[in-house]
Amino acid sequence: MRFILALILLVSPVLGSSTVLTQSGADDPASQNLAGRWRVKFDLSGVGEKNLILETTSRGAATFLPLDTEPENKPLASPLPAVWSELTNKRVTFAGNVELPLGTCCREVGTLIFKGTFASNHSITGRAIFIASTVDEENFNGFRSTVGTFTATRDPK
């Protein structure tokens, strides 16, 4: 978990920085709230379009349930731990360690980070970055990484 938080702090300046307000957004009643269950569709170069369920719990804890990242595009059997935070200006961030397919032959373990903005009470759009555990001295962050976009919609379940 410390590794995830350290990577978020490392990558935050790259994807845009903000000051954390609260984990629940309770101090700003006009803000949207990340609490609940979200369907996240993300598209990363080299990975393609993938889907997961983000379920937030109290105090910045959450889970990721990848829906099509296992071999043959099958869902993962059980959710993975994740973290989240609500930021200023209707912005949110959430991250977790996952294993993603890369190309047609390989898989890579790393940290998947999402930074976005509420488009409405039920929709978030933004940027995603996957930072693999493979060291890459030529990359700006020292690890192999890929970037893309995401959209999240509130799941009524």
Side-chain angles (χ1 to χ4, degrees):
M1 193 62 76
R2 288 183 186 166
F3 178 73
I4 293 171
L5 294 175
L7 274 171
I8 289 172
L9 293 174
L10 173 71
V11 176
S12 289
V14 175
L15 297 177
S17 61
S18 295
T19 305
V20 174
L21 283 177
T22 66
Q23 296 294 345
S24 66
D27 293 347
D28 183 6
S31 75
Q32 286 83 2
N33 193 321
L34 190 62
R37 184 178 164 106
W38 296 81
R39 288 187 146 291
V40 181
K41 181 181 289 190
F42 60 99
D43 192 358
L44 299 171
S45 60
V47 175
E49 186 175 283
K50 296 294 177 188
N51 299 277
L52 63 81
I53 299 289
L54 166 71
E55 191 152 358
T56 62
T57 58
S58 64
R59 300 238 168 234
T63 59
F64 279 170
L65 180 60
L67 299 176
D68 51 9
T69 61
E70 291 297 292
E72 300 177 16
N73 288 325
K74 293 188 178 184
L76 194 64
S78 59
L80 302 168
V83 295
W84 64 273
S85 182
E86 291 183 0
L87 309 169
T88 60
N89 299 327
K90 302 180 187 177
R91 298 181 62 183
V92 296
T93 185
F94 46 98
N97 286 338
V98 296
E99 182 179 57
L100 294 177
L102 295 177
T104 58
C105 69
C106 306
R107 301 184 63 74
E108 185 79 58
V109 174
T111 304
L112 184 57
I113 303 168
F114 299 91
K115 283 190 157 288
T117 307
F118 282 100
S120 72
N121 287 335
H122 304 287
S123 173
I124 303 168
T125 60
R127 307 271 300 161
I129 184 170
F130 177 69
I131 302 174
S133 58
T134 304
V135 175
D136 180 356
E137 297 297 330
E138 295 181 16
N139 197 311
F140 72 95
N141 62 19
F143 295 93
R144 188 162 75 159
S145 62
T146 184
V147 296
T149 59
F150 81 94
T151 57
T153 54
R154 199 174 291 277
D155 190 357
K157 280 189 174 180

